[in-house]
Amino acid sequence: MELSGIKVVVIGGGLGAVQIMRGMQRHTDALTGIIAVTDTGRSTGIVREFARIPAPGDIRNALATLAPDDDSLLTRVMQHRIVAPGDPKLDGMAFGNLFIAALTQMSGSFVMAINQISDFLNVRANIYPVTEENTHICAELVDGTIVEQEFNVRRLDKAAIKRIFVQNPEAVAYQPAVDAILAADLITIGPGSLFTTVIACLAFKEISQAIRDSKALKVYICNTTTQPGQTDDYTLSDHVQQVISYLGIGVLDYVVLNSSHPSDELMELYAREKVDVLLPSSHEFHNILTMNVRPKLADVADTKSGKRALWQKQDTIRHSPELIAQTLMELMAEREAVAGS
């Protein structure tokens, strides 16, 4: 397949964003992922505590998933979780998180560690952290409470989230990430945990400002389900409204909404965990149009893989890399047709 020269920037985390990158790397050789690094849960939080580095987990997953040889020893060991029943800190630890921490200590640079592993794995895409700062996100809840750090921001049984902000007001975005946004032809935002992944990136003012200033086509890829602790009872338009609240009105060009319907059995499995599958309706379509964003309905979800058992993480219906990439390329072709007419 002949690759296009379009410059694509994918903003999000190591699970949702990497699905987009997997699809788009078949269409372009100029691909950049800007990955959230403010997680504090699971093994990532343990590594952050002792190594004093930004969260390595989503970076690790992006690097390993995008490696062309997914069966190589290094790729597999990056994702391997250590089995140590007698040590709660090591048990379940992703080895790749320790590898990133060790290389950071050796080189003195988190970004250099990422680049070294990217070279080891022969990853074609640029993988950038949203920031080099070892900082956290905080949330103001609708009842006025302030909660600090990602694990608490997504905690269950708390008031709804009103807004997200960066704990250290002096923390700045990674400049090459900002530059990539400004030079992009296509920017995708999401999918992923709305507040702790997607908005955790947009909360850096340099990132949101660069998106506003960029001449790229800007597409928000909406989640396929709600997420307990973050988006309980949210609709599709609620997701879009939150993203707009950080970018401003008239910045997003499109929102991609999955229109493929999972089986009743799969929906019931998610419902048992208080996860609602989000399907577009005419009412939601109208609400989004009033926000000056064009909804794009497409069958882009992987509804056939079934529900996965993830390590200390709640599953959702992921996007199909091939289908979402096809939809994005169609949007780019439409834009070029309009520009050429």
Side-chain angles (χ1 to χ4, degrees):
M1 178 186 296
E2 184 178 350
L3 298 178
S4 70
I6 62 170
K7 297 175 183 177
V8 180
V9 171
V10 177
I11 301 173
L15 293 177
V18 77
Q19 295 295 93
I20 312 307
M21 296 182 73
R22 284 177 60 200
M24 290 305 297
Q25 69 180 355
R26 305 179 187 186
H27 297 276
T28 180
D29 55 5
L31 183 60
T32 297
I34 299 175
I35 308 298
V37 288
T38 47
D39 286 2
T40 56
R42 304 181 300 280
S43 68
T44 288
I46 295 170
V47 171
R48 292 197 68 182
E49 186 177 351
F50 78 77
R52 306 297 184 201
I53 61 173
D58 280 0
I59 293 279
R60 178 207 81 241
N61 186 67
L63 290 168
T65 304
L66 292 169
D69 185 357
D70 58 7
D71 197 43
S72 73
L73 178 60
L74 182 55
T75 303
R76 287 185 287 118
V77 80
M78 283 286 291
Q79 298 287 58
H80 174 71
R81 292 195 180 273
I82 296 168
V83 179
D87 190 329
K89 286 194 172 182
L90 275 181
D91 193 35
M93 171 71 69
F95 178 79
N97 291 351
L98 294 175
F99 192 23
I100 292 173
L103 288 175
T104 301
Q105 290 180 344
M106 292 171 65
S107 66
S109 167
F110 183 65
V111 168
M112 187 175 292
I114 295 170
N115 291 339
Q116 288 172 328
I117 295 175
S118 183
D119 288 343
F120 294 157
L121 295 173
N122 197 29
V123 174
R124 293 203 325 263
N126 297 313
I127 302 297
Y128 294 153
V130 69
T131 183
E132 291 183 276
E133 308 280 350
N134 179 27
T135 190
H136 297 278
I137 55 168
C138 304
E140 179 187 358
L141 308 183
V142 294
D143 64 2
T145 304
I146 300 294
V147 292
E148 298 184 349
Q149 300 193 10
E150 179 260 354
F151 185 80
N152 296 313
V153 170
R154 61 180 170 85
R155 178 173 53 83
L156 303 178
D157 302 319
K158 65 178 188 312
I161 297 168
K162 181 178 180 181
R163 68 182 181 99
I164 295 291
F165 59 96
V166 180
Q167 186 181 59
N168 177 4
E170 297 181 359
V172 297
Y174 181 49
Q175 188 58 48
V178 175
D179 295 340
I181 291 171
L182 293 172
D185 300 304
L186 169 65
I187 297 169
T188 69
I189 301 167
S193 299
L194 180 62
F195 289 102
T196 58
T197 295
V198 175
I199 292 175
C201 291
L202 303 183
F204 285 88
K205 61 182 183 296
E206 297 87 3
I207 296 294
S208 53
Q209 186 61 53
I211 295 171
R212 286 191 286 270
D213 292 342
S214 176
K215 293 180 171 53
L217 184 72
K218 299 151 191 173
V219 182
Y220 171 49
I221 302 168
C222 196
N223 291 351
T224 58
T225 70
T226 59
Q227 184 175 7
Q230 294 199 49
T231 55
D232 302 274
D233 301 320
Y234 263 46
T235 63
L236 290 165
S237 58
D238 289 333
H239 284 76
V240 178
Q241 181 59 58
Q242 282 292 342
V243 172
I244 289 174
S245 71
Y246 292 83
L247 295 180
I249 296 174
V251 176
L252 287 177
D253 295 298
Y254 288 95
V255 54
V256 175
L257 307 175
N258 169 58
S259 57
S260 57
H261 201 297
S263 67
D264 292 341
E265 292 78 10
L266 185 58
M267 292 181 69
E268 174 60 26
L269 287 175
Y270 283 109
R272 291 175 191 172
E273 297 182 359
K274 298 183 178 179
V275 173
D276 297 324
V277 175
L278 297 169
L279 293 170
S281 65
S282 57
H283 177 70
E284 283 293 276
F285 198 95
H286 172 75
N287 284 347
I288 292 169
L289 283 173
T290 64
M291 300 176 195
N292 199 22
V293 182
R294 284 166 284 180
K296 173 69 173 179
L297 303 183
D299 292 345
V300 291
D302 175 8
T303 57
K304 295 183 173 58
S305 293
K307 196 171 182 300
R308 292 158 286 244
L310 303 178
W311 189 75
Q312 293 188 8
K313 193 175 183 72
Q314 194 158 40
D315 187 35
T316 187
I317 299 174
R318 298 187 187 181
H319 287 75
S320 161
E322 296 78 14
L323 295 177
I324 190 64
Q326 178 183 329
T327 298
L328 291 170
M329 292 303 291
E330 288 172 1
L331 292 177
M332 284 297 295
E334 288 176 18
R335 187 195 206 201
E336 291 173 3
V338 169
S341 61

